[in-house]
Amino acid sequence: MGFAEKYIASLSSRNLRDDAVHHDQDVIAAAALAGDMGALLCRVKYADGTVSRLFEGNAGNLAQLLRAWTAAVTQKGRARRWVKAHTAWDAQAANTLYRRVAEASLAHWLDSKCKVCHGTGVVAAMQAGAPVVCQACHGAGEAAISCSGGFELERIKDMVSELEGIFQSHGARAMRRLGH
């Protein structure tokens, strides 16, 4: 069982006692102690909507994550020189690009499932007993990233990959804290 599954199970736990039998609290503590933006990614992606605990998944966590992610994307965009900002207009355009990339990449990472087939890759209609491949995602189960152009799309894909990397490294650190 991966870290995400353990985290979700812990959030759903009705018993957070810390004794020889109950260990759900350990997973939540490991997520918090593993540090960085990964803990906030876990809270927003897995606690919001899966558990009705206001202290975990809430709009405040999402707003905090979006602010932190926008700052990180801005820093990465400047370091990678996505836009050469020679004038005030260039700087404003660059900041708009960074914000758009941050918002789109975070939204896609949080929920990339195709809305038509709900991530299954097939639609409910059947032809001659065989499932019909979803035309919206071409059977992949993942929604396409919508944006204005190829340049922006590549930056969004790059940042989705960065988010997944942050999440995976956070999960690995948390699992080490659990002794796995």
Side-chain angles (χ1 to χ4, degrees):
M1 181 185 296
F3 178 72
E5 292 84 12
K6 288 179 180 274
Y7 187 77
I8 292 168
S10 293
L11 290 175
S12 303
S13 177
R14 297 199 183 280
N15 188 344
L16 290 176
R17 281 188 283 173
D18 186 22
D19 57 25
V21 178
H22 304 96
H23 303 287
D24 289 337
Q25 184 181 28
D26 295 344
V27 177
I28 295 170
L33 294 172
D36 81 5
M37 193 184 303
L40 192 51
L41 286 170
C42 283
R43 278 199 309 271
V44 171
K45 185 166 184 159
Y46 295 112
D48 192 21
T50 59
V51 180
S52 62
R53 295 182 181 172
L54 294 176
F55 67 90
E56 281 292 343
N58 63 33
N61 285 333
L62 179 57
Q64 180 183 359
L65 177 59
L66 182 58
R67 280 191 303 274
W69 183 237
T70 301
V73 169
T74 299
Q75 183 180 21
K76 290 174 190 299
R78 287 180 181 150
R80 296 173 185 175
R81 299 182 189 267
W82 289 352
V83 178
K84 295 183 190 318
H86 298 294
T87 66
W89 186 89
D90 292 340
Q92 184 179 7
N95 285 331
T96 299
L97 174 69
Y98 302 147
R99 181 185 47 78
R100 289 171 51 132
V101 168
E103 290 172 357
S105 61
L106 184 58
H108 188 77
W109 186 82
L110 288 172
D111 184 15
S112 62
K113 288 182 184 175
C114 175
K115 306 303 181 245
V116 175
C117 66
H118 306 289
T120 64
V122 296
V123 290
M126 304 281 249
Q127 285 181 333
V132 176
V133 174
C134 177
Q135 294 303 308
C137 67
H138 305 290
E142 187 170 303
I145 298 171
S146 61
C147 66
S148 60
F151 177 82
E152 190 174 321
L153 177 62
E154 291 306 312
R155 298 320 171 268
I156 293 168
K157 287 179 179 178
D158 186 32
M159 293 299 102
V160 168
S161 179
E162 293 270 345
L163 283 165
E164 187 60 27
I166 292 168
F167 176 72
Q168 293 297 328
S169 66
H170 173 79
R173 282 192 311 279
M175 289 298 274
R176 281 194 300 274
R177 288 193 167 274
L178 288 171
H180 293 100

